[in-house]
């Protein structure tokens, strides 16, 4: 497949560019210990928090709730996870929860992410097309050195992926045609939604996103335009 | 005035960060020559194009027209400037006008801009709060090496400065309080509007923005929080 026409790469971020599970677990471990729980539950805590991500966005996608920032949904979900782990919400200062909620702003990139993005940026526009809100993406980029050209995604589009408007409004902001924009993700479902909107697609496996026992997205299961080992390999496939 | 609380600097761009007049005139000169006109009219052409900028946005601000990208307004204004310069619109291919319209995407930074922004970025969020649309700002940043953390401004806010929503929605996206965000501009009117919304303010004189005979914005005429010679001086005043 020719690479000549791709002018912008837009990226899923949680799982594709950064390792959300380790980052959230790291901060959850300290939190759990402060509240008399075992740091060993930190991975489970991260998984439980993430498990509430899609259902919370679904209430926005369905129109049950207006669009709101992912930070707000994360913060609500955190309170529910506390109950799940038997921690009394009333015993935890709100400021401490606000701070733990920022764990999502401090996630580390995968080892290849900064080099891969930097190479792709040399000849293309690169931007997140994440469900994370703009401030979350700014803080994360400053934390990890992600060299985005712009911060796009759900908050700018006012729609959560995989709603078509999330992709289509991003095309409108970029003033590019569908075939000039490539969605990059470690999640087949995200690519399927992008492809349905006419975008080009690139799959990157992230086999440790959910830890060692991961069972999903182990391989591409669609007709994606590119499949690469990681973001550096994707850059090489595009001759940068 | 303490600098401790400023977490983000947001910037006017046309005139403050980049030299729009020289950049537009450079491309207008080549265009005028191709159409049998004198390249000596290029500065006047740039000024005439820019003169239509505020009135075009005013029709959006007043509600007469819905929000639309500045690229669209620039393109409409360009057709009017052609008539003003006695060039028959019907004789010019649309693609050539589309290309000339992109002159605004290729403006050069002032000599201090990249260093000043880079220094400020080391400890603060930096983003344009320009009336230029996102794609215009992305292209300009890639052209001139402007190291923005994010592209904010009129298109993200869906409101043109100095409408209060342009500033207030930017605060909302940044999730910062008014006192944590500083508007930087070479235009006193922009700072007055930002200050009215509670933002902090920094004035940078750009005495050549309108050429050697400039009469406006030669000095600060409000009670701004900072006044700096240029963006490097502003960074120094903030100890970066």
């Amino acid at each position: 497949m020719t690479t000549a026409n791709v002018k912008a790469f837009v990226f899923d971020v949680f799982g594709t560019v950064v390792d959300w599970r380790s980052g959230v677990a790291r901060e959850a471990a300290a939190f759990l210990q402060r509240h008399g729980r075992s740091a060993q539950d930190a991975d489970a805590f991260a998984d439980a928090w993430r498990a509430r991500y899609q259902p919370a966005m679904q209430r926005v996608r369905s129109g049950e709730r207006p669009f709101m920032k992912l930070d707000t949904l994360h913060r609500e979900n955190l309170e529910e996870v506390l109950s799940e782990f038997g921690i009394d919400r009333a015993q935890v200062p709100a400021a401490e929860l606000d701070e733990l909620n920022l764990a999502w702003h401090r996630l580390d990139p995968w080892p290849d992410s900064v080099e891969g993005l930097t190479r792709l940026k040399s000849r293309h526009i690169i931007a997140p097309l994440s469900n994370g809100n703009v401030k979350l993406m700014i803080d994360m980029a400053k934390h990890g050195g992600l060299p985005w050209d712009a911060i796009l995604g759900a908050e700018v589009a006012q729609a959560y992926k995989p709603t078509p408007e999330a992709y289509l409004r991003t095309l409108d902001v970029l003033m590019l045609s569908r075939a000039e924009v490539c969605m990059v993700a470690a999640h087949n479902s995200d690519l399927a939604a992008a492809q349905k909107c006419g975008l080009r697609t690139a799959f990157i496996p992230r086999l440790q996103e959910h830890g060692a026992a991961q069972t999903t997205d182990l391989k591409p299961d669609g007709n994606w335009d590119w499949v690469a080992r990681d973001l550096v390999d994707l850059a090489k496939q595009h001759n940068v």
Side-chain angles (χ1 to χ4, degrees), chain A residues 3-33:
Chain A
T3 64
N5 287 330
V6 175
K7 297 202 171 136
F9 289 92
V10 292
F11 296 78
D12 175 64
V13 173
F14 299 118
T16 301
V17 177
V18 301
D19 175 7
W20 60 265
R21 191 171 187 257
S22 303
V24 170
R26 181 176 58 217
E27 303 206 21
F31 175 83
L32 288 166
Q33 288 188 300

Side-chain angles (χ1 to χ4, degrees), chain A residues 131-184:
Chain A
N131 283 329
N133 46 291
V134 171
K135 181 58 165 20
L136 191 167
M137 289 290 132
I138 292 174
D139 286 348
M140 180 195 284
K142 288 181 96 71
H143 167 80
L146 305 175
W148 303 122
D149 285 308
I151 306 290
L152 305 178
E155 190 177 11
V156 173
Q158 293 283 296
Y160 279 117
K161 293 187 298 179
T163 308
E165 284 69 25
Y167 306 95
L168 298 175
R169 289 183 190 148
T170 299
L171 292 180
D172 174 69
V173 168
L174 287 171
M175 301 176 74
L176 295 172
S177 72
R178 292 147 193 245
E180 291 173 327
V181 178
C182 179
M183 180 80 211
V184 183

